[in-house]
Amino acid sequence: MSAELQMSTAADAVEFPYRAVSRAAIASLFFFVLALPGLIPTFAPMLFLAVVGLGAAIVGVRAIRNYPEEYSGRGLATFGMAANALLLVGGLCLHTYIYLTEVPDGYTRIPFYELQQPENGPDMPTAFAADIDGENIFIKGYIHPSSGSGLLRQFILVPDLGTCCFGGQPKSSDMIEVTLTGGKSAEGSMMKRKLAGKFILNRIPQKKTDFDNIVYYRLKANFVK
């Protein structure tokens, strides 16, 4: 009886061998989920995680192909490969389209860094800021939390989340005082904002409540998104 039981157990082991699900295949789905927020412009850099997920899926497929008796999960790895590739290509196409169509007619795209001084440079307006004084510009940034919450018609715009929420008091060349015109308003949040309007360089520096440094830049914006 004991011998028959041992033979039966051995036969079952041969007929139904244990195979571990490829960790790389599982990881590919994990990175796919993490990369999904990259479809939102604010979190676009997270799309890079789809590249990691795609690489993990390829590793998983190869491991399963080379060691079929040790690993399972080919379908999982194949899905992870397709999902990450689709997310990466689709996300890049989406952000390219947004970039090419987001600037309103009659406005010039201005990168925020053109208004910023180097890390150890003097905290004063840049020469570029003087050149665009009075021009209609399009710029992106974040509403500083000290500007308030709820719907705002006036706020301080800063270049990045570090300056916005984790960098303490922003430098003068990191701030733009925005005034929305035409009855428009923007909700205070950590979302990246797109604004278009007339850029003004303050000839007489101004102080703003809750900010230690003076404000040189102003924007009278008639477009916000």
Side-chain angles (χ1 to χ4, degrees), residues 83-111:
N84 280 286
L86 183 62
L87 177 61
L88 181 62
V89 174
L92 290 176
C93 290
L94 173 64
H95 292 307
T96 299
Y97 173 78
I98 291 174
Y99 181 84
L100 294 175
T101 60
E102 65 184 354
V103 181
D105 292 338
Y107 294 85
T108 303
R109 182 192 300 275
I110 300 297

Side-chain angles (χ1 to χ4, degrees), residues 43-128:
F43 306 108
M46 294 184 70
L47 272 180
F48 174 76
L49 294 174
V51 177
V52 181
L54 182 60
I58 293 173
V59 170
V61 169
R62 288 181 176 177
I64 295 167
R65 182 187 302 159
N66 294 335
Y67 306 99
E69 296 182 358
E70 297 182 27
Y71 296 108
S72 64
R74 179 185 291 272
L76 199 64
T78 302
F79 174 79
M81 187 185 304
N84 280 286
L86 183 62
L87 177 61
L88 181 62
V89 174
L92 290 176
C93 290
L94 173 64
H95 292 307
T96 299
Y97 173 78
I98 291 174
Y99 181 84
L100 294 175
T101 60
E102 65 184 354
V103 181
D105 292 338
Y107 294 85
T108 303
R109 182 192 300 275
I110 300 297
F112 212 119
Y113 65 79
E114 294 282 9
L115 305 176
Q116 297 176 272
Q117 289 286 359
E119 186 66 28
N120 297 321
D123 193 14
M124 58 184 294
T126 63
F128 181 82

